[in-house]
Amino acid sequence: MIDLQFELNGRGVTARVKPHARLLDMLRDVLGETGTKEGCGEGECGACTVLVDGLAINACLFPAAEAEGTKVTTIEGLTQGGAPLSPVQDAYLQNGGAQCGFCSPGMVMATVALLGETPDPSDTEIQEALRGNLCRCTGYVQIVQSVRAAAETINKGGINA
Amino acid sequence: MDTYQYHRPTSLAEALEARRQEPEARWLAGGTDLMVQLRSGRAGTPPALISLRHVPELKGIEDGERLRIGAAVTLGKLALNETVGQRFPALLEAIAAVGSRQIRNVATLAGNLCNASPGADTAQALLVYGASLEVSGTDGQREIALEDFFTGPGATKLQSGELVSAILLPNPPSHARATFRRKARVAMDIATVSVAAYVEIENGCITKVRASAGSVAPTPLRLTAVEELLMGQAPSQELLQSIKTLASESVSPITDIRASEGYRRRLTGVLLQRSFEALFDMQTAKGCAR
C-alpha cells in the first residue's frame, strides 16, 4: 500500500491505496466521492473527467500515485456545504443539458476547465473542447446551449466557473 | 488488470537504474496508451511502472541549434508553446488531432512515438520536419533519426532499458511551409489516413520537400518516391495530379474496421495532393534546373 497526500476540493486529504490504483478508484472507493463516474475505463468517454491542478484529465487513466502533492477538483468541489449550484451546474439544469445525468459530472468538469481558459467560447470551440465527453441522451445541442448560458452568466457577473 | 508497484524517480539516472533493476518494468509518461493496454491485457503483467513525470531532464522545451522537446512534456503544454506554433505549425495541427483535451493534458510526444502505432498522428508531422530522437540508457545516450525508429506496428528500435529522453527538431528556414491532414470517422478516433507535407520553394522551384503518411503501412511512412518526384520542380496542376497518383501507389494499406485498402489508397493521394496544393504558390515556372 502507498500513502498519498493531496488537496481534494480545497481540503487536505490523505489516502492509503494500492500502488496500481487509479485516481478514479481512489476518489470513489477510498474517499467515498462517487460523483465522478466510470463510463468506459479507457479514456474515451470522459465521464470520469476531473481537474488536477486546473487541467481536465480522465481519472480512469490517471494513476492515484500521481495525485500526490496536487490539487484535485471533482464535481463535488463545485458546491461546498449546502451552497447553491455553481453557475455551470445551474446552466446545465436550466437548459436541459442533462437527461440521465451519467455523463454530466464529467461534462460539467470539462466545461469548467474550458471556461477557465476561454471565457467566451464559440460553438465550434465548445464542441472541440468537449469532444472527449460523450453523451448518449441529449444529442449535444442542449449541452452546447448550457455552456453558452454558463459563459454568459459568468461573464456578466464577473464570477468564477 | 494485475497489481504492480509504482516508482516516482526524480532524476534520469534514478529512472534508468530503477529499470536496470527491474527489466520487465514499464516506463510511464502520460499513460494514455499504457493504462488502456494494462487493462486489456495487451501489456502483460509488468512488476512495476516507472513514472517519468517528475524527471527534470525530461520536462524542458529548449531552443538552440535544434529544438529539444523533453520526453515528459505534455501535448497540452506543447500546444501552448509559441516557438512550436510558429516554427512547426504542422506539429501543432497533428497534436490538435490527438484524442481530447483530457488526453492531451497528460499525453506526450515521446509516448505517442514509442507506442508506435502506424497511425500515430504526431509521427507524420515529426517525420516531415526531420526529427531525431535522443535515446538514453544506462550505457549512455544515442541518437536515432525518426525515420529509422519504427520497425513495425507497435515496435521500435529501443533496446531493453532504454527510453526516449527527447525529440530533436532542426529549425526550418523561415520560408519553409508544412501542413498535416487527416481523415477520421469521428472526432475521437484514430486516423483512417493521415499525411504531412513539408516544402521549401525558392525562385519558383522546390528546393526541399518531405512527405509522410500514416495508417497506410506497418509504420508511419516517409514517401521518398513523392519527394523525388517533386524535388527541383516548379509547382503546377500537373505536378499535383502526379502527386495524387504516385502517393496512392507508394503505400501499402490494409482493409480493417475503419476502411478498405482501396479507400485508404485513394485517400492518401487526395489528402497529399490537397496538402501540397495548400503549400504551393501557383507561380509561373521559372525554368527549374532538374
Side-chain angles (χ1 to χ4, degrees), chain B residues 192-222:
Chain B
T192 305
V193 170
S194 58
V195 301
Y198 171 104
V199 77
E200 292 174 32
I201 300 175
E202 289 164 272
N203 299 319
C205 288
I206 296 169
T207 53
K208 186 166 175 187
V209 57
R210 289 174 84 108
S212 69
S215 301
V216 288
T219 68
L221 201 62
R222 196 180 141 191

Side-chain angles (χ1 to χ4, degrees), chain B residues 118-178:
Chain B
D121 294 307
T122 66
Q124 319 322 327
L126 291 170
L127 276 175
V128 299
Y129 281 126
S132 290
L133 302 179
E134 176 194 284
V135 171
S136 296
T138 45
D139 290 338
Q141 240 176 41
R142 61 190 179 110
E143 202 174 297
I144 308 177
L146 184 61
E147 62 193 12
D148 299 328
F149 184 63
F150 305 107
T151 58
T156 70
K157 284 199 173 152
L158 280 186
Q159 303 293 317
S160 174
E162 286 182 326
L163 55 80
V164 169
S165 42
I167 293 93
L168 301 162
L169 283 165
N171 292 309
S174 54
H175 62 274
R177 298 159 86 167

Side-chain angles (χ1 to χ4, degrees), chain A residues 3-8 13 26 52-53 62 64-72, chain B residues 8 54:
Chain A
D3 291 298
L4 300 170
Q5 274 188 309
F6 60 101
E7 196 181 289
L8 176 62
V13 296
M26 179 164 66
V52 175
D53 292 333
F62 199 91
E66 289 296 335
E68 172 75 23
T70 67
K71 293 179 154 72
V72 178
Chain B
R8 278 169 53 127
H54 312 280

Side-chain angles (χ1 to χ4, degrees), chain A residues 37-85:
Chain A
K37 311 301 182 196
E38 176 158 16
C40 69
E42 296 185 328
E44 298 272 348
C45 78
C48 65
T49 305
V50 298
L51 308 188
V52 175
D53 292 333
L55 295 177
I57 58 100
N58 293 317
C60 69
L61 298 181
F62 199 91
E66 289 296 335
E68 172 75 23
T70 67
K71 293 179 154 72
V72 178
T73 312
T74 68
I75 189 73
E76 291 94 343
L78 297 190
T79 57
Q80 305 270 26
L85 288 181

